[in-house]
Amino acid sequence: MSFSAVLQKKCDVVLAPKRVQKAIESATEERSGNIIIHGLTDDPHENNGDLKDLVYPVLEQLDDCVGGLYGFASLGRYRQGFDRPVKLRLTSCSFRDGLLSRKSRLRNSEKFKDIYLSPDLSLEEREVRKRLVTEMKARREAEPGKVFIIRGGKQWYQRRVGGGSGRGLR
């Protein structure tokens, strides 16, 4: 049996559809408990202790204990004048959802108003979201009296109820 025949046989086993699907699901599940923090000041000589001093006050501002925090790390390489995002690994999706639901508290804080939280999305999820945002902007321009939002990977139309600031999903 030739080397290429052996290699083909091994590749067929390794790249079987069930194994590939299981690997994709595993990666998605692993990513589902993560949050990305944008806007933290970056230091070329930072270590985990310095990063901890930046991350913990953000979590305290969100009135959350750090018990659900599994780990954190800066993403990418240091570049002068740019802040690297920080990935937080959390113990559960429910902890992540709780933090994301309270992220507006950062905007209301003078100290953390330039800090943004977002879920950790795969490349495909980011592309879908980007397409939805582009479509939503076009619909906003076409229908200026309406308010559009994105929830659950779909566009929703919201209209102001009673002309006030309250909104009702329609």
Side-chain angles (χ1 to χ4, degrees), residues 142-154:
E143 303 175 52
K146 296 181 179 178
V147 176
F148 296 95
I149 59 170
I150 297 173
R151 283 206 184 133
K154 297 179 183 177

Side-chain angles (χ1 to χ4, degrees), residues 12-104:
D12 289 342
V13 171
V14 170
L15 297 176
K18 287 184 180 180
R19 286 189 176 194
V20 171
Q21 183 64 30
K22 188 174 181 180
I24 290 171
E25 288 172 1
S26 174
T28 303
E29 184 178 318
E30 180 180 313
R31 186 181 293 265
S32 68
N34 297 341
I35 287 182
I36 306 295
I37 299 180
H38 301 272
L40 289 176
T41 56
D42 203 3
D43 181 14
H45 307 294
E46 82 181 12
N47 56 34
N48 268 352
D50 297 337
L51 196 54
K52 182 179 179 180
D53 294 339
L54 294 173
V55 169
Y56 280 21
V58 172
L59 295 178
E60 288 171 5
Q61 179 68 29
L62 296 172
D63 292 336
D64 222 312
C65 67
V66 293
L69 184 61
Y70 181 66
F72 48 86
S74 294
L75 301 176
R77 293 184 180 178
Y78 175 78
R79 289 186 350 199
Q80 185 70 30
F82 293 93
D83 293 332
R84 294 182 288 176
V86 175
K87 178 174 82 170
L88 299 182
R89 293 179 60 203
L90 306 171
T91 55
S92 69
C93 292
S94 61
F95 188 71
R96 179 201 67 179
D97 293 341
L99 285 176
L100 290 173
S101 69
R102 291 187 297 275
K103 69 182 180 179
S104 64

